[in-house]
Amino acid sequence: MINIAVLGYGTVGSGVVEVFGSNQEQISRNAGEEIYVKYILDLRDFPGDPYEARVVHDFNVILEDDGVSVVCETMGGVGAAYQFTKQALAAGKSVCTSNKELVARHGTELLALAAEKHCNYMFEASVGGGIPILRTIQDSLSAERIEAVTGILNGTTNYILYKMETEHADYCEVLKQAQELGYAERNPEADVEGHDTCRKTAILAALATGKTVDADRIHTEGITGITLADFEFASRKNRTIKLLASAKVQKDGRLLAMVAPFMLPMGHPLATVGDVFNAVMVTGNMLGDTLFYGRGAGKLPTASAVAADVIDCARNLGRTVMGGWSAEKAEMADTAEMDSRFFVRTGVSAAEDVEKAFWGKYDPAVSEGILFGEEYGFFTPVMKEKDFNEICRKLGDAVSGKIRLM
Ligand code: HSE
């Protein structure tokens, strides 16, 4: 029997306990022996809960129990979660987590510590919820040179955009629903401002390149500026709007990474990814494009990914199988030099001036301009991001919305 401990009995932690309870037979078969949740660490008590007796409040109980070989860190944050993870790995206990913030910030150090102590630091649930994307990149695509990863990596924002598009729903109302469904971060700013997607992009890009990718160096924009008018325009152009993560290895080897809303054609493989679903497109130099799709947030899909990591750790006790990435930093390309094309929204009275600033003339036939109510929207030519930003700076408030085209 393999004993494990779960740190944090919140949404994901209680999901992990539920997965081990419900799928005991399959899990024992796949792990080769029974996996037993010996401890649940939480500050709170849970009177009446079937696992009440296993709740402990002191992490040292877990740390000092040599019988515990795997720890699930489902606490979140980078404070106690970081300290407990380091202590567990230093004691030779493998750690499995859904904590993308911690992996993005300290993954390099924690992976190295796990390798030194012949155990594993696994974090499949940290990206794409229940989609088995990290193990796929590390194992199934290990013969590939990965050229690009593009995806929808945040369930909450995809849910919000989907409801805005399909039900013309109010932004605040949908965000509240996402929180109630257990999709959103404790501080939903991390979702809507793109920070959560940024951290996941850093993890994916690190795994794809084998180098450390600093999340702070990824250009990140959220969805708070997206309006129903943007969706109206997108729909007239047979397009939709998604918050995309993009990481591309350029010909010179530098990594071009960004997180931003994109207006993409309905025929694009990511255009129909709705609701809380995530999808990740991985382009390998031999394989070409592959697409992975599934539930990107929520208690049980995320917990299932944590539990699968526990099984992997249980099968590999005393052996590090999670390679991850090295301490060498990936060289980043500057997004200001990137060629992009944008959708621009402006008021009707400023339409002519604004369009002229980008095209040198006002010609809706060329810019594909459309009027809707008091607003006018058009597409710019392909231009360097720095040139686009400079024109926007000069136009000031005349530009009321801008979204990159895919
Ligand atoms: N808040 C995250 C999301 C949870 O909505 O995708 C899963 O990482």
Side-chain angles (χ1 to χ4, degrees):
M1 184 164 73
I2 299 207
N3 292 317
I4 70 164
V6 176
L7 314 186
Y9 203 36
T11 305
V12 180
S14 61
V16 170
V17 173
E18 188 176 333
V19 169
F20 280 106
S22 303
N23 289 356
Q24 215 167 35
E25 202 184 310
Q26 295 82 347
I27 289 171
S28 298
R29 196 174 60 229
N30 292 334
E33 54 190 306
E34 189 190 336
I35 295 183
Y36 180 73
V37 179
K38 189 167 180 187
Y39 302 110
I40 296 167
L41 180 78
D42 205 287
L43 291 171
R44 301 162 293 178
D45 286 310
F46 295 88
D49 186 281
Y51 292 88
E52 182 186 358
R54 304 189 205 175
V55 174
V56 294
H57 304 302
D58 180 2
F59 177 64
N60 288 314
V61 173
I62 295 164
L63 193 62
E64 286 161 14
D65 186 338
D66 292 338
V68 173
S69 37
V70 185
V71 171
C72 301
E73 184 273 292
T74 49
M75 302 166 63
V78 290
Y82 175 45
Q83 297 308 328
F84 293 168
T85 299
K86 269 205 299 197
Q87 286 174 278
L89 292 173
K93 299 180 196 298
S94 289
V95 177
C96 305
T97 189
S98 54
N99 187 341
K100 50 261 161 150
E101 193 179 359
L102 184 59
V103 180
R105 194 174 301 179
H106 297 293
T108 307
E109 176 199 357
L110 297 170
L111 282 162
L113 180 57
E116 187 192 321
K117 298 292 176 183
H118 309 290
C119 56
N120 287 286
Y121 184 48
M122 292 194 181
F123 36 85
E124 182 63 71
S126 67
V127 180
I131 307 175
I133 186 63
L134 302 188
R135 192 165 277 106
T136 301
I137 290 179
Q138 169 155 301
D139 295 340
S140 310
L141 303 182
S142 57
E144 288 292 318
R145 195 167 70 226
I146 293 175
E147 294 174 339
V149 182
T150 314
I152 294 170
L153 303 180
N154 182 272
T156 301
T157 46
N158 204 48
Y159 183 77
I160 293 172
L161 294 175
Y162 177 71
K163 294 283 177 182
M164 284 173 79
E165 179 180 30
T166 56
E167 295 171 16
H168 307 286
D170 175 68
Y171 177 92
C172 297
E173 191 51 41
V174 192
L175 176 58
K176 211 168 117 227
Q177 278 172 24
Q179 286 173 301
E180 282 161 11
L181 289 164
Y183 301 156
E185 297 300 300
R186 231 171 301 175
N187 175 4
E189 205 178 288
D191 293 301
V192 298
E193 297 294 355
H195 307 311
D196 179 76
T197 304
C198 167
R199 290 166 190 146
K200 292 167 176 170
T201 310
I203 297 169
L204 274 177
L207 212 51
T209 59
K211 295 179 185 171
T212 297
V213 176
D214 190 351
D216 293 339
R217 298 200 54 208
I218 297 178
H219 176 89
T220 300
E221 295 170 27
I223 62 160
T224 49
I226 305 293
T227 64
L228 291 176
D230 292 321
F231 275 107
E232 180 65 38
F233 188 92
S235 121
R236 292 190 199 189
K237 292 293 177 190
N238 204 23
R239 285 175 178 260
T240 186
I241 302 165
K242 299 287 180 194
L243 181 68
L244 296 188
S246 166
K248 287 185 181 140
V249 181
Q250 296 191 314
K251 287 204 175 74
D252 62 8
R254 287 183 306 159
L255 182 70
L256 184 62
M258 81 175 336
V259 173
F262 279 80
M263 206 181 257
L264 55 163
M266 286 310 291
H268 191 283
L270 297 175
T272 50
V273 176
D275 214 278
V276 71
F277 285 88
N278 282 193
V280 190
M281 270 179 77
V282 183
T283 310
N285 67 330
M286 298 291 145
L287 178 68
D289 290 338
T290 48
L291 183 63
F292 304 88
Y293 171 86
R295 284 190 181 274
K299 177 174 167 168
L300 292 176
T302 311
S304 171
V306 177
D309 277 349
V310 172
I311 295 172
D312 205 5
C313 290
R315 283 179 184 147
N316 291 290
L317 290 180
R319 200 158 66 103
T320 305
V321 291
M322 179 66 197
W325 54 82
S326 76
E328 183 187 345
K329 294 223 177 203
E331 213 183 312
M332 306 296 283
D334 186 356
T335 51
E337 298 296 333
M338 185 174 133
D339 285 328
S340 296
R341 200 176 175 206
F342 287 80
F343 160 70
V344 169
R345 184 160 50 80
T346 180
V348 171
S349 56
E352 202 166 324
D353 289 344
V354 173
E355 188 169 306
K356 263 189 194 160
F358 290 99
W359 283 95
K361 60 182 176 181
Y362 175 65
D363 186 350
V366 175
S367 70
E368 301 177 55
I370 285 188
L371 276 170
F372 46 92
E374 288 304 303
E375 297 202 275
Y376 177 75
F378 66 94
F379 296 156
T380 69
V382 175
M383 56 205 304
K384 291 246 176 281
E385 293 245 345
K386 63 179 180 191
D387 297 334
F388 176 82
N389 290 334
E390 180 55 19
I391 296 174
C392 287
R393 195 186 61 75
K394 284 186 186 150
L395 290 168
D397 290 347
V399 172
S400 39
K402 48 192 179 188
I403 305 173
R404 286 174 190 78
L405 300 187
M406 177 62 84

